[in-house]
Amino acid sequence: MTDETKPITPEIVNDEEEKTESGLVEQNVKPDILYLVPITGRPHLPAQVQPLIVDKKRWEETLRKASRDSKNFLGLSYLSEVKGKYVYQKDFPKVGCVVRMINITDVEGHIQFIAQGLERFKIKRFLSDKPPFVVEVEYFEKMEEDEDKLKAYAISIISSIKTLLSLNPLYSEELRQYLGRFSPDQPSPLTDFAAGITTASGPDLQEILEIESVIERMKKVLMLLQKEIEIAKLQTKIQKDLNTQVDDNKRKFFLKEQLKAIQKELGMQKDDKTNDVDKFKAKFEMLDPPEHVVERFEEEIEKLSVLETGSSEYGVTRNYLDWITSFPWGTYSEDNIDITRAEEILERDHAGLSDVKERIIEFFAAGVYKRDISGSIILFVGPPGVGKTSIGKSIAEALGRKFYRFSLGGMRDEAEIKGHRRTYVGALPGKMVQALKDTKVANPVIMLDEVDKIGASYQGDPASALLEALDPEQNSEFLDHYLDLRVDLSKVLFICTANTLDTIPAPLLDRMDRINLSGYITAEKMEIARKHLWPRLLKRNNLTNSIITITDPTIQYLIEGYAREAGVRGLEKLLNKIIRKSIVTILKEKKKKIRINIKSLEGYLGSPFFTKEKQMKGVGIVTGLAWTSMGGATLSIEAVKVHGKNSGFKLTGKLGDVMQESAAISLSHVRANSKAFGIAEDYFDNAFIHIHVPEGATPKDGPSAGVTITTALVSLATGKAIKRPLAMTGEITLTGDVLPVGGIKEKIIASRRIGINEIILPHGCKSEFKKLPDHIKEGITFHFAKRYKDVYEIVFKP
């Protein structure tokens, strides 16, 4: 197999040897037996002379035998495509072209020769059906045709070729001279030559090769030439249009430059530098900057006016001036401080959180009284999904201020807060300056999300960089490293959010006014789902309540069985999952309405994740209450006597250092007061005690388990079990004092969730307890203990 660009070849046959051995072959000799080689790309036509390259490995034997046996005559057959690795007899067309091989040479694994086209041939039969292919051939007989027609077509072809040559510059002068060798008296070679110079496809040229009638052949070639002429004309037009457009652009460019020069000479136009200076001055005049900013601006403007526009310093100074003139110096939005309106917005956007709303309204009221809301940095602390960020947006709306939010989670570079110095390439101001620029006022509400998740690295400590920005006594002169100017942040209302306080540095926490957001109880979650989550999800999916409905008992079952977390983010995901699966059902079953009930809920979500918690009961088992970053939780504590051989003490349940100390204090207090608790004096002398807190894979720590552990030890030693639903929290001292603990609201919500209706709290938590909403305390009996003796009497005495 061959092609014109990368063909295949035989061994080297020297042309000089052929001359000496065989003599020159006459042009009019027509061999009946030919060796056959296939070519791809385009067929070879008589009157064509062009080089060919063939693969030496595959066709060397064929070319060697053709040189020796056929006096350098070779048959070329065109194959439009070659399927597979080999060529077979059935692949060859019936008509090919006899060529004479000239200057056969070996070129790096290929054989190259010049193929001089001589005559068309038709294959009569194959003498060899595998390489080297040998065929018996016959030639076209000359047909009697109208000489005048032949001459007329020949003249048309010559005229068309000349037209094509004049249109297409790709045809060289040598080709024009070659055309001069053909005349109207040689119609067949002229036709083949004309066909060869076109860009016609291989099958079209093969069709011309197979036509016996010269006149029919000429008609076909004239059509191809006309097509080439049309393409050449279109190409010429495109090139002309392109050149015209380029020339027009050049002309316009030079005219504009001349116009600029004339206008500049007449004082009618300013250059780019003057434009920049005037633009910055105009922007700066619209602001109300302090004196030190005016001085810096004038210095930078003077510097800009003497710098070259192409210098790097010009770009740096220009960017700096752009930031100074874009910063809202002295621009403040007017506060719309209306207590009633603020209450309406908070009630509209948030269900529950009555204590939080009350604290925000107090903050607004103070602002109304002094006619200025500033000086406070609010910190919302609570579990994920309780609405910390959305409350910040509601506050901004209630005040009528612009709102800007960015997250501090994972921030490790202090330059994000205080900006880069202008010595760095690509330096930018910090987030504080960017926030004021984006909001276009100097008193927006800026929310700093995830303030408890700031990182620290070799690039600095962003938490420390926040100290200046969040200190009401310092932020009136906040210094941004990029601007290198004092910026007044005292009018900005900062709202921060965090899940926990443990990772917030104490100096930063000291600057914030903390508001705790506890988890929601089931009733609050139901209201949020019904009023906010479900309508929003339906609207997002282009649905209405008439298409998909969900009953209140179903929402309650969903909350208690699948979404017990403190926030409502998990609840929203589950509701969205229900809607997605409902849409699938609507599309598949062609339903027009779906009603979600408790029975169908498990079909959408599977079995409930949570079953109703049961209070562990028995001797030595007491239910405690704990606070976690996800909300409140119940914590059962078990105490057992392993054996009575020797005194000992063992703790399990992945307890932290604080809880281990609480357990040791509890044991010491019980042993020291065993008589008062009705415990045999020698009970602990030989008892090996094991205390365990279930869910051993979960780390537990905190100063609120002392009372619970002490009660478990007393229950074990006296053999008295707590038979009623009862939970407790509080820390204990060696002398028996009950110390106050935090997270009271979360702990009460956790006990309510599992149905405990009696709780013991430290007496020191009474003031915090009184602030709790009534609906959280409703239906629960509370006891307050100053000393452990009070706890003992509540638990063990009838």
Side-chain angles (χ1 to χ4, degrees):
M1 178 184 73
T2 69
D3 60 47
E4 293 175 344
T5 55
K6 207 174 179 183
I8 29 190
T9 2
E11 97 183 0
I12 308 164
V13 182
N14 195 299
D15 196 39
E16 292 298 322
E17 292 178 5
E18 185 187 12
K19 289 181 183 179
T20 55
E21 293 178 8
S22 306
L24 292 171
V25 179
E26 295 295 332
Q27 290 286 339
N28 58 359
V29 175
K30 296 181 180 179
D32 296 329
I33 305 299
L34 286 174
Y35 285 89
L36 202 59
V37 170
I39 61 173
T40 57
R42 285 158 60 98
H44 197 93
L45 297 169
Q48 271 189 320
V49 179
Q50 63 182 28
L52 286 180
I53 301 175
V54 295
D55 184 63
K56 180 176 180 179
K57 183 178 178 182
R58 190 173 298 181
W59 302 105
E60 178 182 18
E61 184 181 358
T62 301
L63 295 190
R64 186 176 64 248
K65 289 186 177 181
S67 299
R68 185 185 65 226
D69 300 341
S70 299
K71 310 303 180 185
N72 279 3
F73 286 109
L74 182 69
L76 296 179
S77 286
Y78 165 72
L79 274 63
S80 59
E81 62 176 336
V82 177
K83 297 178 180 177
K85 187 176 179 182
Y86 301 103
V87 179
Y88 301 97
Q89 174 184 331
K90 60 182 175 56
D91 297 329
F92 289 92
K94 290 297 183 183
V95 178
C97 180
V98 180
V99 300
R100 184 172 183 269
M101 297 184 293
I102 303 170
N103 292 339
I104 305 174
T105 55
D106 188 354
V107 184
E108 297 181 357
H110 293 81
I111 296 178
Q112 179 177 312
F113 62 91
I114 294 174
Q116 179 186 3
L118 299 175
E119 188 74 40
R120 290 169 170 76
F121 69 81
K122 287 194 286 189
I123 299 174
K124 290 176 66 177
R125 64 190 178 98
F126 275 82
L127 303 178
S128 171
D129 58 357
K130 62 182 179 178
F133 291 106
V134 184
V135 292
E136 182 182 350
V137 301
E138 61 181 1
Y139 298 91
F140 288 2
E141 295 182 2
K142 188 173 181 180
M143 298 177 63
E144 292 294 333
E145 298 187 84
D146 189 331
E147 293 292 335
D148 293 336
K149 275 190 178 183
L150 287 172
K151 193 168 185 178
Y153 276 115
I155 293 170
S156 295
I157 289 175
I158 292 172
S159 175
S160 297
I161 293 175
K162 288 180 177 179
T163 303
L164 184 61
L165 294 180
S166 65
L167 290 171
N168 196 333
L170 296 176
Y171 296 110
S172 64
E173 187 62 32
E174 288 80 1
L175 192 58
R176 298 172 189 271
Q177 294 176 2
Y178 188 70
L179 175 62
R181 300 181 186 179
F182 296 96
S183 69
D185 297 329
Q186 298 175 302
S188 183
L190 175 64
T191 306
D192 292 335
F193 168 76
I197 66 172
T198 65
T199 58
S201 64
D204 286 341
L205 293 180
Q206 179 65 26
E207 184 182 346
I208 291 171
L209 187 68
E210 294 178 359
I211 297 174
E212 292 191 37
S213 169
V214 178
I215 289 179
E216 294 300 322
R217 202 182 304 158
M218 295 172 97
K219 288 180 181 179
K220 177 75 173 176
V221 170
L222 270 172
M223 291 173 61
L224 294 179
L225 286 172
Q226 192 59 39
K227 184 178 178 182
E228 291 291 321
I229 290 169
E230 293 300 325
I231 293 173
K233 284 181 178 178
L234 182 59
Q235 181 186 359
T236 303
K237 183 179 182 301
I238 292 170
Q239 189 65 38
K240 184 179 178 182
D241 292 344
L242 183 61
N243 291 337
T244 302
Q245 186 177 356
V246 171
D247 290 341
D248 284 347
N249 289 338
K250 286 181 180 177
R251 179 170 167 272
K252 288 178 182 177
F253 173 76
F254 287 122
L255 287 173
K256 284 179 181 178
E257 290 301 313
Q258 289 175 356
L259 182 61
K260 279 184 183 179
I262 294 169
Q263 289 178 335
K264 187 176 179 182
E265 190 70 25
L266 296 174
M268 298 169 62
Q269 188 182 34
K270 302 165 186 175
D271 58 13
D272 292 340
K273 185 194 299 184
T274 309
N275 277 337
D276 285 341
V277 171
D278 290 348
K279 181 184 73 174
F280 290 136
K281 284 183 177 179
K283 288 175 67 178
F284 197 68
E285 285 176 2
M286 299 172 66
L287 304 172
D288 184 18
E291 187 60 33
H292 70 281
V293 177
V294 175
E295 292 175 3
R296 176 63 61 82
F297 174 77
E298 289 174 351
E299 290 173 6
E300 295 296 327
I301 279 289
E302 186 177 348
K303 184 195 297 185
L304 187 74
S305 61
V306 298
L307 289 171
E308 291 295 329
T309 55
S311 67
S312 59
E313 183 67 18
Y314 183 88
V316 171
T317 305
R318 189 183 184 281
N319 287 341
Y320 179 77
L321 284 167
D322 187 36
W323 274 101
I324 284 185
T325 55
S326 299
F327 190 86
W329 303 105
T331 304
Y332 300 96
S333 61
E334 186 177 348
D335 287 339
N336 181 15
I337 309 175
D338 185 340
I339 299 296
T340 305
R341 179 171 175 271
E343 286 180 336
E344 289 173 356
I345 290 174
L346 291 173
E347 287 296 332
R348 180 197 69 193
D349 295 342
H350 305 279
L353 304 177
S354 56
D355 52 340
V356 176
K357 293 175 187 174
E358 183 181 346
R359 176 66 184 82
I360 294 170
I361 294 301
E362 291 170 2
F363 172 74
F364 279 10
V368 170
Y369 192 77
K370 67 179 181 179
R371 298 183 179 278
D372 180 31
I373 292 188
S374 60
S376 293
I377 286 85
I378 300 174
L379 171 63
F380 290 126
V381 185
V386 295
K388 299 184 294 295
T389 303
S390 58
I391 285 180
K393 292 180 181 178
S394 299
I395 291 174
E397 184 182 349
L399 285 174
R401 287 193 183 188
K402 298 288 183 67
F403 180 79
Y404 186 90
R405 173 196 168 274
F406 67 93
S407 176
L408 298 172
M411 186 179 288
R412 294 176 176 272
D413 188 355
E414 67 177 23
E416 291 286 330
I417 304 297
K418 303 200 71 174
H420 304 83
R421 302 188 187 277
R422 274 202 286 167
T423 52
Y424 297 107
V425 176
L428 285 172
K431 286 289 186 184
M432 299 302 173
V433 173
Q434 292 182 36
L436 269 59
K437 180 196 172 187
D438 289 352
T439 57
K440 295 182 175 59
V441 290
N443 62 337
V445 174
I446 297 180
M447 171 158 278
L448 309 178
D449 254 342
E450 315 296 350
V451 73
D452 58 327
K453 299 177 181 62
I454 304 177
S457 70
Y458 66 91
Q459 293 171 304
D461 182 5
S464 298
L466 278 174
L467 294 177
E468 181 184 2
L470 299 185
D471 189 339
E473 300 300 322
Q474 298 181 42
N475 62 11
S476 59
E477 292 188 349
F478 175 78
L479 180 65
D480 183 86
H481 289 159
Y482 178 82
L483 294 183
D484 199 23
L485 293 169
R486 297 291 176 179
V487 177
D488 185 4
L489 298 180
S490 62
K491 304 297 182 183
V492 175
L493 175 58
F494 289 101
I495 300 176
C496 305
T497 69
N499 296 129
T500 178
L501 302 177
D502 300 342
T503 55
I504 302 177
L508 184 59
L509 186 61
D510 184 57
R511 286 162 167 78
M512 302 179 188
D513 191 359
R514 189 191 325 165
I515 299 177
N516 292 311
L517 282 79
S518 306
Y520 296 106
I521 62 175
T522 301
E524 291 174 336
K525 282 188 176 182
M526 284 187 64
E527 187 178 358
I528 292 169
R530 192 169 53 246
K531 289 185 177 179
H532 300 282
L533 302 182
W534 186 253
R536 185 168 70 228
L537 291 171
L538 288 175
K539 184 177 179 181
R540 186 185 301 169
N541 291 279
N542 198 24
L543 296 167
T544 62
N545 250 326
S546 60
I547 300 175
I548 302 178
T549 57
I550 186 167
T551 62
D552 286 353
T554 307
I555 296 176
Q556 182 174 351
Y557 184 76
L558 172 66
I559 293 167
E560 293 175 349
Y562 299 86
R564 284 191 184 176
E565 73 279 354
V568 293
R569 200 167 285 150
L571 176 60
E572 182 176 9
K573 290 177 182 176
L574 291 170
L575 290 172
N576 197 21
K577 185 176 182 180
I578 291 170
I579 288 176
R580 291 199 308 270
K581 289 184 174 292
S582 299
I583 292 172
V584 172
T585 305
I586 289 171
L587 295 176
K588 280 187 175 181
E589 302 179 11
K590 308 297 182 185
K591 288 188 176 181
K592 292 185 178 180
K593 187 175 181 180
I594 289 183
R595 182 179 177 85
I596 311 297
N597 51 37
I598 295 176
K599 186 176 181 181
S600 63
L601 193 62
E602 292 191 14
Y604 290 109
L605 302 178
S607 299
F609 307 148
F610 305 98
T611 54
K612 188 166 181 63
E613 295 179 30
K614 294 181 180 179
Q615 186 179 14
M616 297 175 66
K617 294 180 181 179
V619 175
I621 301 174
V622 181
T623 302
L625 299 173
W627 179 92
T628 69
S629 62
M630 299 296 288
T634 55
L635 208 64
S636 294
I637 293 179
E638 302 171 297
V640 296
K641 179 180 176 182
V642 180
H643 57 73
K645 297 178 182 178
N646 60 290
S647 177
F649 184 56
K650 182 178 181 180
L651 288 169
T652 56
K654 206 171 184 180
L655 307 182
D657 293 340
V658 177
M659 285 191 72
Q660 291 183 33
E661 288 183 2
S662 295
I665 292 169
S666 299
L667 181 61
S668 297
H669 178 71
V670 173
R671 294 190 68 171
N673 298 276
S674 57
K675 186 175 181 181
F677 299 140
I679 302 171
E681 293 185 7
D682 61 345
Y683 179 84
F684 290 102
D685 294 342
N686 299 313
F688 187 90
I689 307 295
H690 183 177
I691 296 176
H692 174 67
V693 183
E695 297 185 28
T698 305
K700 308 169 193 72
D701 201 10
S704 63
V707 169
T708 313
I709 296 173
T710 303
T711 306
L713 290 171
V714 172
S715 173
L716 174 68
T718 59
K720 296 178 181 178
I722 302 174
K723 297 181 180 180
R724 63 187 191 274
L726 174 70
M728 61 189 70
T729 184
E731 191 53 274
I732 193 172
T733 66
L734 279 172
T735 57
D737 288 334
V738 177
L739 303 179
V741 293
I744 296 300
K745 180 179 179 180
E746 290 86 350
K747 292 174 181 178
I748 294 173
I749 290 173
S751 64
R752 175 182 287 278
R753 188 166 57 230
I754 67 169
I756 294 176
N757 55 15
E758 190 175 0
I759 299 175
I760 299 174
L761 299 174
H763 189 273
C765 296
K766 203 164 188 178
S767 59
E768 183 180 349
F769 171 80
K770 289 179 179 178
K771 296 177 184 177
L772 297 179
D774 292 337
H775 68 273
I776 290 178
K777 299 182 284 186
E778 186 180 356
I780 299 178
T781 302
F782 293 94
H783 304 281
F784 295 93
K786 288 185 178 180
R787 295 183 57 79
Y788 184 74
K789 177 182 167 186
D790 302 331
V791 177
Y792 175 78
E793 291 180 354
I794 294 167
V795 174
F796 297 107
K797 290 197 173 180

